[in-house]
Amino acid sequence: MADNPRKKNELQLLLALACGATVEQAALKSGLTARTVYRRLEDPSFRRRVQKTQREFVERTAGNLTAAANEAVKAFLDLVKPASPPPVRLGAARSILEMGLKLRELANLEERVASLEEQMTGSNK
């Protein structure tokens, strides 16, 4: 794939657009003209590939953040200990509570959506 300059340009264009580059930036990074980039973006198949690549990047990032979550929680818990200055403790406590509530809401929503999906598939049979 890397031996074929056209395929290499296509991959560079795809990655640049998936990472949020403007048409002009993507053209520059991939060695193509802006007109060619616009033409490629008119192709529904290419747009789907860009969107799929974006989703993969987001999923990978979410995975990395999830993997780091335990360390982040430990850091917050260290910050609410009496050894920390009161403003730091307050900020950490506030963050823990806010994030805990958001996480609980998200978990509840996921459970409700899963239940609704189950009901929908059950009623379609």
Side-chain angles (χ1 to χ4, degrees):
M1 182 185 227
D3 294 338
N4 184 339
R6 184 174 175 173
K7 292 275 187 187
K8 183 178 178 187
N9 290 355
E10 180 91 0
L11 180 59
Q12 289 174 336
L13 175 61
L14 177 70
L15 293 174
L17 291 171
C19 289
T22 64
V23 167
E24 290 75 16
Q25 292 167 336
L28 190 63
K29 287 182 180 184
S30 62
L32 300 171
T33 66
R35 175 70 186 120
T36 300
V37 175
Y38 281 114
R39 196 168 43 251
R40 294 295 294 128
L41 286 169
E42 291 172 5
D43 177 5
S45 173
F46 181 76
R47 281 198 316 270
R48 282 192 298 275
R49 286 178 54 210
V50 171
Q51 291 167 347
K52 180 180 182 233
T53 303
Q54 287 172 325
R55 281 191 307 273
E56 289 169 355
F57 286 161
V58 169
E59 288 171 7
R60 192 172 303 125
T61 300
N64 288 334
L65 290 172
T66 301
N70 285 337
E71 289 301 315
V73 169
K74 288 177 189 175
F76 269 122
L77 293 175
D78 284 343
L79 291 174
V80 294
K81 291 181 178 173
S84 297
V88 171
R89 291 176 63 202
L90 175 62
R94 182 178 292 133
S95 294
I96 289 169
L97 292 172
E98 287 173 358
M99 286 186 279
L101 289 173
K102 287 179 184 178
L103 187 59
R104 181 170 298 224
E105 287 174 7
L106 180 60
N108 287 338
L109 281 173
E110 285 180 2
E111 187 176 316
R112 291 172 63 193
V113 167
S115 176
L116 287 171
E117 287 175 341
E118 191 175 299
Q119 289 175 13
M120 294 294 292
T121 55
S123 67
N124 288 338
K125 291 183 177 180

